[in-house]
Amino acid sequence: MIKTELLKQKILELGKVVGNDTVRVDMFLNHRIDADLVTKLGGEFYRIFSSSPINKIVTVEASGVAVAFAAAQRFSVPVVFAKKGLNKNVGDDVYKARVYSFTKQSEVIIGVAKDYLDENDRVLIIDDFLASGSAAKGLIDIINQAGARLEGVGVVIEKAFQSGGDELRALGYRVESLAVIKSIDGGKIVFG
Amino acid sequence: MIKTELLKQKILELGKVVGNDTVRVDMFLNHRIDADLVTKLGGEFYRIFSSSPINKIVTVEASGVAVAFAAAQRFSVPVVFAKKGLNKNVGDDVYKARVYSFTKQSEVIIGVAKDYLDENDRVLIIDDFLASGSAAKGLIDIINQAGARLEGVGVVIEKAFQSGGDELRALGYRVESLAVIKSIDGGKIVFG
């Protein structure tokens, strides 16, 4: 796919390798958002998942929001983003899950208000990264609590040298990644 | 404007009044995002500010990201969102400001990596709410640290009974709000 080639090119050009397991894509995805590119990525998720009866997109704040929104525009469905840490305005009526943040190296609680997810929802999870799969598993836990059905998981960048993607596929979920990083060795990114 | 009438209608239909000073719009803007509506709001910000030489949109995670992104799509410029609390992947080279969160009733530090904002930037701030103006002032502080120029502030909902909007206008900034709430009395929202 041309769009995923464009994504890989951006990762190679602008990604910053840190150690042997981290690629920072703050330049176009995570902090500074390339609106044109992310719009295209949203379209790519639509192409991949458009045959599924998706009526809601779910992600986690904050770095997943833009790409999830770009996909939601194409599906014409709402996005619900799980919040990290609950504030007084969300209320107590919240589905919660524990998630280990790879970047922050600590556990956080994510939550979705019960009003915004229910048994009628056919959900596509969209996120920027899939590594250990902790965020995706937390979202799946929340989707299950709501009685909703998960139609698939779409991620921009999968780190295939971590086990999250394999574990989710082994559980029977459809996981589609726009770019798969097989390894980061000596500062060099190898795509799968 | 038809789009802002649609927004006011959504606020009246779906907004939840809490006390005499809070309207929760979790249903379409802050937690569950109505992608079609927010896309239109982005277009409205483009209409309002398109005569200004804007080359970057700046917001604060997480609830500002979707509407800022929708505006950025129309301007074909990147979005940079200030992060709340810095993680190890952002690096130390960050412009920082203190912001008081009205919803969380506590102070947080927001930050933008120095790589993503500089003296060539002509910035439009986009945010979901303007109340005390603390977030906007924090972003303006960061924009000033970077030597960038602020072209304007666009907010979806301004609470005109709090002083943020007036203070920013008194400082000479162009502030445009798509919906202005003049008062919330006895559970009734009155637009300005």
Side-chain angles (χ1 to χ4, degrees), chain A residues 53-102:
Chain A
I54 287 156
N55 65 4
K56 194 161 281 179
I57 291 178
V58 170
T59 190
V60 187
E61 69 176 10
S63 52
V65 173
V67 66
F69 178 77
Q73 288 177 308
R74 293 296 302 277
F75 281 95
S76 281
V77 301
V79 179
V80 173
F81 63 87
K83 302 200 175 194
K84 288 175 179 163
L86 310 173
N87 74 46
K88 75 176 174 80
N89 280 3
V90 172
D92 295 326
D93 219 13
V94 172
Y95 298 115
K96 293 168 205 160
R98 287 178 185 278
V99 163
Y100 185 81
S101 166
F102 183 76

Side-chain angles (χ1 to χ4, degrees), chain A residues 4 7-8 11 155-159 177-181 191-192:
Chain A
T4 57
L7 171 63
K8 288 178 187 172
I11 294 169
V155 299
V156 179
I157 301 171
E158 178 176 347
K159 298 202 240 174
S177 307
L178 303 187
V180 177
I181 297 177
F191 291 109

Side-chain angles (χ1 to χ4, degrees), chain B residues 9-29:
Chain B
Q9 199 181 323
K10 290 271 182 184
I11 294 168
L12 291 176
E13 273 176 25
L14 303 173
K16 289 175 194 165
V17 173
V18 182
N20 276 322
D21 58 7
T22 299
V23 186
R24 284 168 48 188
V25 288
D26 282 358
M27 180 65 188
F28 60 93
L29 191 62

